[in-house]
Amino acid sequence: MKNQNKGTEGKLEPSSTPEDVPYCESPSKVFKSDQTGVFIPGNHEAEMCYGGEADLHKHVTGCKKNPGHKGFIPLKDFNINYLPSRYHDDVFMSETIKTMAAITVQVKTKFTSLERPEFYPGTKVPYPCYNDRGSHVMRLGTGRVYEVFKYRERNRWGTCRCAKCQVSATPSKVWGEVLVVTATHVVFDNSEARQTRCVLGFDDNKSPVVSLDGWEVRGVPDIERDWCNMGYVTCDLELVDELDKMCEHFDDLCREVRNKYSRFVDVDKLTVIVSHPHGCPKQISVGQWTHKHERFGRWTRYWYTTCTCPGSSGATVYRLGYDRWLSRHPHSGTNSEGNYSGEWRY
């Protein structure tokens, strides 16, 4: 990858070990499924930095949701022993999670749209960041690369539209598009996406990273389901090919997991999240989904015991037995029922 620099964001302390973060075999609080109940949004988990990145250390040390951050596993420390015992002999289970981590990105947004609504639709629940409209307060979340496309001029897609090619007399005839899924309350619309940076490779504070600036939202803001698709255009074909291979590899691994363990979907209820809590390097958390709400027969929202913190918003909620396409529920927030996701199909 090109355009490398060093990550400098905060550090979670103390680091966890398999002994002090056991897999949750039986959640302390399990809720019954409610297929008809009305969903009431709770607290979003985008990290707001009103004092800029200097706020991050203060947010880590003063975190009230998860003091000490027990339950977060630094990527470099993760191994198969953090998973339930039935998976300890399967290397590809650990590889699946580490591959998902490889395509997980930190999302930094430095503008708040004037179009954000005052309330969630049909409620009097305040919508995140309404009072920050028009400001340049930094907001941090998480996302995941879920699709990569490569185009050629002869396929009637035209030449590359990246910032460099737009001012070039010879724009590239071969180019790619990287698609990232996050939460709508993290990146609401194009006015925010254009001032959003996605950081790849921020595995620890010494990792070389790649920063991609200038995104576009695909479609209109989906406030109720709280998921947002962003696209980034580039003629950096080395980057496009690398991300494409990682997405395909993740797809293959998910398929292996599904084929072998799908019968345990409703038994173990394994739920894994890779995120950037408090703007820190990637952390892995393992838990169980407890219940779900369904709308229109296939749109689902899950609740889970898996640890999250501010900065985790938009992170993919990976559930055992589902492929890459169906694993697109972004982490959304927390309410009286626990941590919950945005809606996606199935």
Side-chain angles (χ1 to χ4, degrees):
M1 292 185 180
K2 301 177 181 178
N3 302 323
Q4 295 183 338
N5 53 65
K6 299 291 184 180
T8 58
E9 281 75 358
K11 182 179 180 181
L12 287 183
E13 294 286 359
S15 296
S16 304
T17 64
E19 290 73 26
D20 62 17
V21 190
Y23 171 75
C24 183
E25 295 287 356
S26 55
S28 59
K29 195 174 185 182
V30 178
F31 300 89
K32 296 179 180 179
S33 294
D34 182 357
Q35 307 298 333
T36 60
V38 176
F39 169 67
I40 303 297
N43 295 323
H44 71 87
E45 291 204 311
E47 182 72 278
M48 305 300 298
C49 298
Y50 292 94
E53 293 192 20
D55 275 356
L56 292 177
H57 179 72
K58 178 179 67 177
H59 292 167
V60 171
T61 57
C63 178
K64 295 181 179 180
K65 182 182 182 186
N66 188 5
H69 297 101
K70 185 174 181 178
F72 285 115
I73 310 157
L75 177 60
K76 64 181 178 63
D77 296 335
F78 182 79
N79 61 64
I80 206 73
N81 294 317
Y82 285 100
L83 300 175
S85 58
R86 85 166 83 247
Y87 309 103
H88 287 183
D89 62 344
D90 264 335
V91 175
F92 75 81
M93 274 296 301
S94 178
E95 187 179 356
T96 300
I97 294 167
K98 289 183 177 181
T99 303
M100 182 174 77
I103 52 178
T104 294
V105 303
Q106 183 188 51
V107 180
K108 295 183 177 181
T109 305
K110 293 188 176 180
F111 181 70
T112 303
S113 173
L114 295 169
E115 302 302 319
R116 285 197 175 225
E118 185 174 4
F119 303 107
Y120 282 93
T123 77
K124 288 297 182 180
V125 178
Y127 191 71
C129 305
Y130 172 78
N131 292 330
D132 296 320
R133 290 174 305 155
S135 74
H136 288 81
V137 173
M138 186 172 72
R139 187 168 54 255
L140 298 177
T142 305
R144 193 195 88 203
V145 178
Y146 73 91
E147 199 79 79
V148 180
F149 297 100
K150 185 183 287 187
Y151 301 105
R152 297 179 185 275
E153 185 183 34
R154 66 173 180 267
N155 290 342
R156 295 185 298 175
W157 290 103
T159 55
C160 182
R161 305 189 309 274
C162 74
K164 181 178 70 174
C165 286
Q166 284 184 345
V167 296
S168 171
T170 57
S172 178
K173 295 182 179 181
V174 183
W175 50 282
E177 183 177 32
V178 179
L179 300 182
V180 164
V181 61
T182 186
T184 302
H185 72 265
V186 175
V187 181
F188 186 78
D189 59 13
N190 276 333
S191 68
E192 295 184 1
R194 293 185 188 109
Q195 298 192 51
T196 290
R197 169 174 294 176
C198 287
V199 182
L200 296 158
F202 185 24
D203 298 343
D204 59 47
N205 283 314
K206 296 182 179 180
S207 298
V209 302
V210 176
S211 296
L212 306 179
D213 298 280
W215 295 74
E216 289 186 353
V217 169
R218 296 292 181 259
V220 297
D222 198 322
I223 299 171
E224 290 186 281
R225 297 188 178 114
D226 200 25
W227 57 265
C228 168
N229 293 332
M230 296 193 300
Y232 174 80
V233 173
T234 178
C235 55
D236 183 346
L237 300 182
E238 181 182 342
L239 174 65
V240 170
D241 289 340
E242 184 174 352
L243 291 175
D244 189 37
K245 288 178 182 177
M246 285 194 289
C247 287
E248 288 185 0
H249 186 48
F250 182 53
D251 205 17
D252 292 339
L253 289 167
C254 286
R255 193 176 298 112
E256 289 187 59
V257 172
R258 182 191 64 200
N259 291 342
K260 187 169 184 179
Y261 294 109
S262 60
R263 65 187 182 279
F264 299 117
V265 167
D266 295 324
V267 177
D268 294 328
K269 298 184 176 181
L270 182 68
T271 306
V272 179
I273 295 176
V274 182
S275 69
H276 289 278
H278 303 295
C280 292
K282 290 172 189 170
Q283 306 286 318
I284 299 174
S285 49
V286 181
Q288 292 175 288
W289 61 268
T290 58
H291 68 296
K292 63 182 179 180
H293 290 174
E294 294 183 359
R295 289 197 310 150
F296 312 121
R298 62 175 183 169
W299 288 96
T300 58
R301 184 188 309 274
Y302 284 82
W303 276 257
Y304 31 86
T305 63
T306 319
C307 290
T308 62
C309 266
S312 296
S313 277
T316 292
V317 181
Y318 173 68
R319 292 166 296 122
L320 173 73
Y322 290 88
D323 61 22
R324 175 167 63 101
W325 174 252
L326 297 180
S327 292
R328 282 179 61 185
H329 289 78
H331 174 63
S332 186
T334 182
N335 64 11
S336 61
E337 299 178 62
N339 294 332
Y340 64 85
S341 71
E343 288 185 340
W344 186 244
R345 291 188 279 272
Y346 306 105

